[in-house]
Amino acid sequence: RARVTRDAKMGDQLFPVYNNFFIGNYQVAINEGYDLSGLSEADALERDCYVYRSHIALGHHQLVLDEIPEDGPTALRAIRLLATYKSRAHEREQCVATVHEWLADAGLAANATVQLVAALIFAEEDNAIEAMKCCHTSLSLELMALMIHLLVKHDRPELADKHLRIMQAADDDATLTQLATAWVNLALGGSKTQDAFYVYQELGDKYAWTSKLYNGAAVCQMAMGRYDDAEKDLVEAINKDSKDPDTLQNLAVCALHLGKPTTRFVNQLKTLTPKPAAIAALEEFEKQFDAANAAYATA
């Protein structure tokens, strides 16, 4: 099968690193990366990108900033910018400006990691249009996956399915393609939801069950009305990462449907930094309710 994307061209030597990263097994990805030796310069750079992105996922932002020099290779400079954006709220505006500058440079814009980091930052800024422009370059399998993720998030499963077919043509067997297939099937609903659940189950059994895979399986279970089973998956997930915002949010939703209290999960979410979007929205609703209540009381 023809390999048309940069990710798909990676040798098997890097597979344990990027595969563990994609399923959310970040510490193992880091360990596997540090164990590799004798890599070509290009593969060593790819390895470093995934290792540092795994550190970012684990909240080790300062380590990334300390280890990647400001004059390092373009891809690593992009990863450094991502770490800055995620850890320094007061520098976010400057990070966005830097992204725009890089994308205006044809040489930098041709780099898949630059486009990916730009897309991730735009997505966090709720600038879906600019994020999708970056994804549309299709410079890597991961950019294709992010495009699908964004389309699903914006309730366009039919378009996500169209992009999934392009991704499948590029590399049908890739773990990232399997995950994207699960996202699309869950968004399409109906009998496709069970197919999505099987994807998470197969990936977990084949590689390793992570908080990310348990959450995916749990969301599928909830979509099929199996809240007791979803709760079991989420308990497994919280045991692996007690501060994962997705797990805590899903536990709150699951508890609500099971008639159980949600206060503990909501309070845990409120302690997290940065503040989860769901908590920001909840606090805004609480302010609106208090304002309306005050207005009613004085009427």
Side-chain angles (χ1 to χ4, degrees), residues 198-236:
Y198 286 144
V199 169
Y200 290 113
Q201 195 170 49
E202 287 170 12
L203 290 174
D205 290 344
K206 185 175 182 180
Y207 299 117
W209 277 99
T210 62
S211 178
K212 183 175 182 177
L213 294 180
Y214 274 125
N215 270 279
V219 171
C220 293
Q221 298 274 35
M222 284 193 279
M224 293 185 287
R226 303 173 187 168
Y227 295 101
D228 286 319
D229 291 331
E231 186 180 44
K232 290 174 185 175
D233 282 337
L234 292 170
V235 168
E236 293 288 348

Side-chain angles (χ1 to χ4, degrees), residues 5 39 63 85 117 124 126 130 146 166 182-183 188 190 193 205 218 235 251 271:
T5 63
L39 297 174
L63 179 149
Y85 177 85
V117 167
E124 286 212 30
D126 287 326
E130 290 300 323
L146 184 54
I166 298 171
W183 304 337
L188 290 171
T193 305
D205 290 344
V235 168
L251 274 167
T271 66

Side-chain angles (χ1 to χ4, degrees), residues 142-293:
E142 195 170 358
L143 280 164
M144 293 181 178
L146 184 54
M147 172 68 93
I148 291 167
H149 172 78
L150 290 168
L151 288 168
V152 166
K153 182 180 178 181
H154 288 84
D155 298 320
R156 296 302 303 270
E158 74 291 347
L159 280 178
D161 191 37
K162 178 181 176 181
H163 281 270
L164 176 62
R165 295 179 195 282
I166 298 171
M167 191 177 179
Q168 289 170 333
D171 192 342
D172 192 26
D173 299 327
T175 295
L176 200 51
T177 306
Q178 298 305 307
L179 286 169
T181 301
W183 304 337
V184 173
N185 282 340
L186 180 59
L188 290 171
S191 62
K192 294 284 188 180
T193 305
Q194 184 70 53
D195 294 337
F197 172 73
Y198 286 144
V199 169
Y200 290 113
Q201 195 170 49
E202 287 170 12
L203 290 174
D205 290 344
K206 185 175 182 180
Y207 299 117
W209 277 99
T210 62
S211 178
K212 183 175 182 177
L213 294 180
Y214 274 125
N215 270 279
V219 171
C220 293
Q221 298 274 35
M222 284 193 279
M224 293 185 287
R226 303 173 187 168
Y227 295 101
D228 286 319
D229 291 331
E231 186 180 44
K232 290 174 185 175
D233 282 337
L234 292 170
V235 168
E236 293 288 348
I238 206 71
N239 287 337
K240 290 187 173 293
D241 184 355
S242 62
K243 295 181 179 180
D244 179 56
D246 289 339
T247 306
L248 291 168
Q249 288 175 47
N250 286 329
L251 274 167
V253 172
C254 202
L256 195 64
H257 284 276
L258 290 171
K260 296 181 179 181
T262 63
T263 309
R264 176 164 63 97
F265 306 125
V266 173
N267 287 341
Q268 280 180 271
L269 280 165
K270 287 181 177 179
T271 66
L272 300 182
T273 305
K275 184 183 294 183
I279 292 302
L282 178 63
E283 290 177 349
E284 182 59 32
F285 286 139
E286 288 174 344
K287 285 181 184 176
Q288 291 175 9
F289 177 82
D290 290 342
N293 191 45

